[in-house]
Amino acid sequence: MRAFLPLLTFIALFLGSGIYYHLQGAEFAFYKLPSPVATLPAIILAFLLMKGTFDKKVNTFMEGLADHNILTMCLIYLLAGAFGSVVKAIGGVDAVIFWGMKIMPENFLLPGFFLLAALISTSIGTSMGTISALGPIALGLAETGGLEKALVFGALIGGAMFGDNLSFISDTTIAATRSQGCSMKDKFRVNFRLSLPAALLTVMILFLSFAPGHVVSVKEMEIFKALPYAVVLILALLGINVFLVLVLGILLAGGLGLFATEGYSLLQWAQDIYTGFKDMQEIFLLSLFMGGLGQMMKVEGGIAILRGLFKKMKFQSARLEKLWAEFSIALSVSIANLAVANNTVAILITGDLAKEISKAEEVPAPRSASLLDIFSCVIQGLIPYGAQILLASQMAKLSPLALVGEVYYCYVLGGMTLVSMFWRTSRIKTSTNC
C-alpha cells in the first residue's frame, strides 16, 4: 500500500487544512490551502518511496506531466478560461440573464430560474461563475417574491451543477473525457440521457414548491452578446474539434466587443484573454502535478492494487460484474470528492482507476466518463463544505446545512444514475452498448 501514501498525503493535507480553517470560522475554509501547493509534499514523498535512481524518478514524473491527455487538458483549460473571460467582459453573461428572466412567465419563475441557471452554467462551463452571477437575482427573488431563500438558492446550485456536469467547456467534462479517452460529444450524449430527465423532474418539484411573487428587475443587455455561447454550444454538439471551437468562440466574442461594445479595445481583449488564463492557473498546475504523481503511483503498482481490491468481489453473474464495475467507478470518485471537496480534483485522482476498470469490464468510455462527472458533481453540489454551497450560503446569509436538503437536482440526478446502472446491467447480454 506504500504506492498510495503520496496520494493519501495530498488528501490529508487538503482535507486537514480545510477542517482546521473551518473550525477557526474561516470563509471557504477548504480552499485556503491552494491545491497545487498541497501536492508538493505528496510529490516529495513519492520521490522518496519510489524505487530506482533519482534520474529514473524524475523521468517517470516528467512522463506523467508530458502525457498527451494531461497537456491537452491543460490547453483546453486555458482556452476555456479565455473564452469565459472575454464573453463575460463584453456582457454575454448579463445578456443571458436578462433575456432568460424576460421570457419566463411569473408562475414559472422558480423552475424557470433553475433552467436559467442550467442554461448559463452549460454556456459558461462553471458552477461558481453561475452562482456568482445569479446569486443577487436569487436573493431578489426570495426577498421580493416571498420565497424561501434556501429553496431559491437550492434551485440555483442545482442549475449550476447541471452545466458543471454537462458543459463542453467545464473542467470536469474536460478531465473526465480526457482521462477516459472519449470525445466530448459522445460523453454528452450519454450524460444528457440522464441529465435531461433529472432536470425535468426537478422542474416539476420546483413548480409544486412555487408561491407567486413579484418579477425582479435585472440589467438590460442586447441579446446578440450571448451569441458566442450559442455558437460554441452548437459547434461542440456538431463534433467540431474543441480547440477550434474555443478559438472561434474567443474570436467571435472579441469581434463583438470591438465592434459592438463601447470602449472595448484590442488591448482590453488581450487583457481579458490573459485574465482567463490566470483564472485557470490553479487547475492547470494541479493537473500537471497530478499527472506526474499519478504516473509515479502507476509505475509503483498503485492502480493495479486498486483494481485488485475492487476485483476481490466476485460474482457468478456477468450482469452483477458489470454492475459492480460501474458502481466502483461511482464510489471511488464519490469518496475522493468527499475527501478533497473539489470535483475536478476527484476526477483527476480517480480517472486512471476508472479507465482500468472500464477496460477490464468493457464499460464504454463515454459511460465511465459520465459516471465520473455525474457523481463528482452530485457530491460536490451536496457537501456543506464545498465551494458551491459555501458561496451560495454566504450570499443568502444562511447556514450551509440549510441548503444541503434543497439542492433537489443533485439528489434526483444521483438517484436516476443509480437506477440506470441496475437497468443497463440487467439488459446486458453480449452487447456492451451504453
Side-chain angles (χ1 to χ4, degrees), residues 80-400:
F83 171 74
S85 176
V86 174
V87 180
K88 182 178 180 181
I90 68 169
V93 173
D94 291 333
V96 175
I97 293 172
F98 172 73
W99 288 97
M101 297 295 292
K102 188 178 179 68
I103 64 176
M104 279 189 284
E106 185 178 351
N107 62 351
F108 198 69
L109 200 55
L110 185 58
F113 184 63
F114 163 77
L115 292 176
L116 175 62
L119 172 64
I120 291 175
S121 61
T122 303
S123 300
I124 67 178
T126 164
S127 55
M128 291 295 286
T130 302
I131 294 170
S132 298
L134 291 181
I137 295 178
L139 192 59
L141 278 175
E143 291 178 347
T144 64
L147 301 174
E148 291 184 22
K149 285 195 290 186
L151 183 63
V152 178
F153 276 87
L156 171 56
I157 296 169
M161 297 315 296
F162 177 93
D164 198 315
N165 167 226
L166 206 59
S167 173
F168 283 91
I169 58 174
S170 166
D171 49 6
T172 59
T173 294
I174 296 166
T177 53
R178 300 311 306 181
S179 68
Q180 302 308 294
C182 68
S183 71
M184 291 188 180
K185 183 175 72 171
D186 289 340
K187 182 262 186 187
F188 180 89
R189 275 200 322 242
V190 174
N191 209 150
F192 192 68
R193 294 172 192 169
L194 296 166
S195 299
L196 179 61
L200 294 176
L201 183 54
T202 302
V203 165
M204 291 177 60
I205 295 171
L206 292 173
F207 183 80
L208 294 174
S209 305
F210 176 78
H214 304 285
V215 177
V216 181
S217 62
V218 292
K219 183 179 179 181
E220 186 170 355
M221 193 66 65
E222 301 93 335
I223 193 170
F224 69 83
K225 291 187 176 179
L227 182 62
Y229 290 137
V231 169
V232 164
L233 185 61
I234 292 170
L235 291 179
L237 284 171
L238 291 174
I240 307 298
N241 183 280
V242 66
F243 291 109
L244 180 58
V245 168
L246 289 172
V247 169
L248 290 175
I250 293 169
L251 291 174
L252 176 59
L256 289 174
L258 292 172
F259 295 106
T261 303
E262 185 178 353
Y264 199 80
S265 64
L266 280 171
L267 179 60
Q268 184 62 52
W269 185 18
Q271 290 174 341
D272 289 335
I273 289 173
Y274 188 63
T275 297
F277 288 170
K278 290 193 293 184
D279 289 343
M280 290 295 177
Q281 174 181 295
E282 182 172 346
I283 191 62
F284 181 94
L285 292 174
L286 179 64
S287 297
L288 283 178
F289 291 161
M290 289 302 294
L293 184 62
Q295 181 65 18
M296 297 181 80
M297 288 177 54
K298 198 171 186 177
V299 169
E300 289 294 289
I303 299 299
I305 293 171
L306 281 177
R307 273 193 62 197
L309 289 174
F310 280 112
K311 290 298 290 180
K312 280 184 178 178
M313 180 173 272
K314 294 286 185 180
F315 298 96
Q316 297 298 319
S317 168
R319 292 189 179 92
L320 291 179
E321 287 286 357
K322 300 295 183 186
L323 175 60
W324 174 244
E326 293 197 355
F327 184 75
S328 62
I329 293 171
L331 180 63
S332 61
V333 76
S334 297
I335 293 173
N337 207 105
L338 286 169
V340 301
N342 186 305
N343 43 348
T344 307
V345 176
I347 292 172
L348 292 172
I349 289 173
T350 57
D352 282 345
L353 172 62
K355 190 171 185 178
E356 292 287 335
I357 293 172
S358 62
K359 280 185 175 180
E361 297 300 333
E362 298 181 315
V363 178
R367 175 73 176 179
S368 62
S370 295
L371 292 175
L372 279 175
D373 206 342
I374 286 172
F375 281 95
S376 66
C377 287
V378 165
I379 298 299
Q380 184 66 23
L382 294 176
I383 50 176
Y385 50 88
Q388 288 76 7
I389 283 189
L390 287 175
L391 176 59
S393 65
Q394 184 182 29
M395 299 177 85
K397 299 296 187 294
L398 292 171
S399 163

Side-chain angles (χ1 to χ4, degrees), residues 34-56:
S35 54
V37 176
T39 64
L40 297 180
I43 292 170
I44 293 172
L45 181 58
F47 269 82
L48 293 174
L49 294 177
M50 186 177 174
K51 300 172 184 176
T53 65
F54 186 76
D55 286 344
K56 178 188 174 183

